[in-house]
Amino acid sequence: MIGVSEGAAAEPQLTPRMAGSYLAGGGADEIRPRLEMAVGNDIFVPANSPESVDLLVDATLQKAAATLNRLDSFGALLGTPDQTSFVVSRFCTPPGMTETEAQQTVPNLSSTQLYAICLHEAGLAEAIGN
């Protein structure tokens, strides 16, 4: 979602719903190898556990399609600049608040958006794009 939203900056006619339809209609197969590599290179996923990578990639693609179909614009993915700043400093940065606390504090953001903000801040879009 993050990579698609960054790419949408160059293509303003691209909408979240179009991206969601693309994922649901076979686009996930094109994205899957890059996502598998990014997830597989994460220090939290054991290198000898391809099942874990598959499980995480499948869940990520399903959640991404559902979230994209719910957004009106890609600008909403990472919230407002104030929301993003708050989430980065209070949720993404250890020790951080819990997901429930973050959603109570910033109720307009879903759990997917909270984690998207953290992943964006960590540079995942660039990692997948390279």
Side-chain angles (χ1 to χ4, degrees):
M1 287 186 312
I2 297 166
V4 172
S5 69
E6 299 232 343
E11 298 291 333
Q13 68 271 20
L14 181 62
T15 66
R17 289 196 193 282
M18 288 171 62
S21 295
Y22 168 75
L23 282 177
D29 292 338
E30 291 180 36
I31 294 170
R32 179 176 290 283
R34 290 182 180 174
L35 191 54
E36 286 172 344
M37 192 162 49
V39 170
N41 290 335
D42 190 288
I43 61 169
F44 299 109
V45 179
N48 60 352
S49 181
E51 301 85 17
S52 297
V53 172
D54 289 343
L55 181 67
L56 287 169
V57 168
D58 288 343
T60 299
L61 290 170
Q62 289 171 359
K63 197 73 150 170
T67 299
L68 288 168
N69 284 322
R70 194 176 48 52
L71 293 175
D72 292 330
S73 72
F74 282 110
L77 177 61
L78 302 176
T80 66
D82 287 342
Q83 290 171 324
T84 298
S85 176
F86 177 84
V87 170
V88 168
S89 66
R90 301 287 305 276
F91 177 72
C92 304
T93 306
M97 57 177 49
T98 67
E99 181 181 321
T100 301
E101 291 170 328
Q103 284 186 300
Q104 289 171 348
T105 307
V106 189
N108 297 347
L109 298 179
S110 68
S111 60
T112 302
Q113 289 171 288
L114 292 172
Y115 289 105
I117 290 169
C118 296
L119 293 171
H120 182 265
E121 183 69 15
L124 183 65
E126 292 83 18
I128 292 173
N130 293 329

